[in-house]
Structure formats: C-alpha cells, structure tokens
Amino acid sequence: MAHIDPKASRAADRSRILQIDAEIQELEKRLRLLRIERDGPQKRLEAYKYPVLTLPNEIVSEIFVHTLPLYPACPPLIGPASPIPLTHIGRKWREIAITTPQLWRAICVSACGQGIRRKQTEVVRTWLDRSKSCPLSIQIEKQKGNHPVLQEIDLHRERWEQVVTETTGSALRSFFKGSMPMLRNLSVTMQDDTGVRPAVSPVDLPRLRRVSLTWFRYPVDWLPCAQLTSLTLNAMHSPNYIPILRHAIHLVNLTFIGCDLFTRSEAQSQLDIPLTQLTSLVIVASNVVRVLNLISIPTLHTLWLSGGDLGDFPMGTLCPLISRCGNGKLRKVLVVGHLSRGVSKKAFRSAFPTISEISFNSRFRFDARQEGDEEDSGDSDEEDSDSHSSG
C-alpha cells in the first residue's frame, strides 16, 4: 500500500479551499448583480395597479352581487354557484365579500333525511350573521321537523321577506309562528292533509302581499286576505279558497292551477265574487267556464287559459264569458297548451275582434308567472307567430 504524505495532503486541502472560496466569491458577485438587475422589473411590477384592483370596494361589491341569481332567488349554500368562492380569491376580495350583506340574504336549505348536517347548520348561521340587517329570502325544501338549522332561521323571523317551503302541517305550525313584520311573499306546498293551523293571525303578517298555496286541505283563515294583491291556488278545494276570494278585495293577479271548482249548483249559489281590481287571471288545468262564472272582474286586462280546458268548441265556450269579462277592457288572451284538434287559431282570433292581442303558447311557466313575468314562446306555425290586432 502506497504511503500518503500528510504534509502534501494538507497542502492539497488548503489549495482546494482557496479554489472553492474564489468560486463562492464569484457566485456571490453574480448574485449581487442579478439582484440589482431584478430590482428594476420588481419595482415596476409593484408600482403597477391592476385595473380590477383599483375599483372602489362598492363597485366590486355590486359586481359580486350580480354573480348570484336575482334576489329573492336563492343560490346554493356551497359550490361554485355559491358566494363562498368569492371569499377564496384573495384577502381584499374576501373582506369585500364577507362585508357585503346582500350576498348572504337568500338562503336555501333541505330539511329532511341527511340533507341537514351540523356543517350545514354552521354554514346557515354564518350566512345569517353576514347578512346583517338585510331582509331575508328563505327557501326550505321538504321541511319535516324543527331541526336546529330551522331554529337558526327562526331567530331572524323579523327579517323574513320571502318564504318558500314544502312542509307538513305540524312542521308548518312549529316553524311558522309569531310576528313576521317584513314578510311580503309566501309560498307553501303541503306534504300532508292534516288540519294543523299555523300559530299566526292576520295581524302577524302586516306586509304580506303575494301568496301561493298548494295542496291545502283545510281553511286558511290565518291569512290577511284583504291586503293580498297576488294569489296562486294550486290543487285546492273550493270550500277552502272561496272564503279567501271573498275577502281578497285588492287582488290584482289571480292564478288557478288544477283546482276543484264547484259543482254547478254551488256555482249558481255563489256567483259574482267581486274582484274589482283584478287585472290578470290565469286558469290552468281547471274549469274555465265555472271560474269565469264565479267572479266579477270588470277591470280584467289579461287572461291566461289552458287550451285543453276549453273543450272541442273553444270559441263557443269563451264567447259569452269573455263578453262579460272586463267590460271591454280585456286586451290580451294567452292560450297555453294546445287547442282541440281541428280548431283553427286564425278563426279563434277572428271570433274575438275586440281583443287586441291573442297569443298561443305551448308552455306555462309557473315560476315566471309568480314573479309577474309573461313568456310567450309561441308556436312554429307561421299563422301563430303574430298577435291579432283589431282594426
């Protein structure tokens, strides 16, 4: 084995260290030059203001609000269509989103089975806190009990402006109770036929104006009928809704969908319920003749009808009824669905020359109608593409 001279080895190590130190000095010099070179672009970038970040917070807040469905429609609690992703973009936008109450004022929850968990209750509590003093739009799907999330919502009852719920009688009573001073719009779909009455009276609902009732099988004497301006009755029996009509003297919009509409003898004994301010009437999947014979509507402007309800001779069915409808003020008739086979739409228009617009539509949009909107999709038939105008 060759002998290594310790003296020579130490000399080699010292030489290598000097070489490494020289390389380090060169690299450090290069790093200094690179840092100096980087300072220029870095300062220019820091001085640049992205246009979106120069917007006032109020403008950003308004943009955020427009990313959601138009109030009172409710966005989902979580997911990309929720306002929550707006809090994940950056610190500034998170602060703006959290402090914009309008983003958190419309809340939709599912109150059955596994639909409500502890996390969802916490999310709802957060939304309610962030909504500050804003009026609230509440949508509850399939309400079956008094779950903690409903208790959270109930704490803010004084701010309810719109409530849409599918519920049982007992759940409605436990949830819908006490004074609701801001409630304007109410839509309730019953899931059973129990006669449980909500723990409210008309004085608890001083601002209620728009009501939609589905599948109510008992009297609705807790409604402030005299102040209602819009009423939708869906799958209801006449003994339950006739008292409402008799007291709803300020109705402007009225909708019947699949309602039980009297026997002939009942109709004869209860003619001419006065609805003297009604301007829009919708009758879908119900008996058109009996409805129009029941009510007095001297100011009616717009009449929606289901073509399938008019029978085989729609002109003959409607002629005597329209003649007493609106006292000449009826200006628009919209026929939804399809007329009986063989009925000419051109002849239908000709039969009513005093009506300036008669339209035909294959669909009826219940949701849009609730918001006071009309949709005339029309038929592909060229004859039906234009409305009829009287000379």
Side-chain angles (χ1 to χ4, degrees), residues 140-189:
I140 305 172
E141 300 174 353
K142 300 181 179 178
Q143 178 183 355
K144 291 185 178 180
N146 195 21
H147 192 279
V149 76
L150 302 181
Q151 296 174 17
E152 289 289 336
I153 293 173
D154 183 64
L155 294 175
H156 300 263
R157 189 192 313 122
E158 74 283 353
R159 292 198 287 131
W160 294 355
E161 185 175 41
Q162 169 165 296
V163 173
V164 178
T165 180
E166 304 170 47
T167 183
T168 62
S170 59
L172 180 64
R173 181 176 179 83
S174 64
F175 178 71
F176 202 65
K177 58 187 178 183
S179 177
M180 287 159 272
M182 296 190 67
L183 187 64
R184 292 179 177 273
N185 304 334
L186 174 65
S187 177
V188 182
T189 298

Side-chain angles (χ1 to χ4, degrees), residues 1 44 72 74 228 262:
M1 182 176 181
R44 289 194 295 272
C74 299
L228 300 183
F262 292 117

Side-chain angles (χ1 to χ4, degrees), residues 210-214 229-236 241 244-245 251-259 261 275 278-286 291 295 300 302-305 336 364-373:
R210 303 174 62 87
V211 172
S212 175
L213 303 175
T214 299
T229 59
S230 179
L231 177 63
T232 295
L233 303 167
N234 195 342
M236 287 180 62
Y241 67 72
I244 302 176
L245 295 182
L251 277 184
V252 176
N253 302 296
L254 175 60
T255 298
F256 291 90
I257 302 177
C259 288
L261 297 167
L275 299 176
L278 196 71
T279 61
S280 175
L281 175 63
V282 178
I283 309 173
V284 178
S286 300
V291 171
I295 54 182
L300 192 68
T302 301
L303 178 62
W304 295 54
L305 300 166
V336 298
F364 174 71
R365 289 187 58 190
F366 178 63
D367 291 339
R369 186 62 199 145
Q370 280 191 303
E371 296 301 322
D373 299 328

Side-chain angles (χ1 to χ4, degrees), residues 198-220:
V200 294
S201 65
V203 297
D204 294 320
L205 309 166
R207 303 182 72 179
L208 187 62
R209 296 294 183 270
R210 303 174 62 87
V211 172
S212 175
L213 303 175
T214 299
W215 202 255
F216 273 76
R217 290 296 184 261
Y218 49 89
V220 192

Side-chain angles (χ1 to χ4, degrees), residues 2-24:
H3 177 71
I4 299 176
D5 185 0
K7 186 176 181 179
S9 177
R10 290 193 298 272
D13 289 340
R14 293 188 186 99
S15 175
R16 179 57 183 154
I17 288 173
L18 292 174
Q19 183 181 6
I20 292 174
D21 286 343
E23 292 178 2
I24 290 174

Side-chain angles (χ1 to χ4, degrees), residues 366-385:
F366 178 63
D367 291 339
R369 186 62 199 145
Q370 280 191 303
E371 296 301 322
D373 299 328
E374 299 176 6
E375 176 186 354
D376 186 5
S377 62
D379 296 304
S380 58
D381 191 329
E382 180 180 351
E383 175 187 313
D384 304 325
S385 61

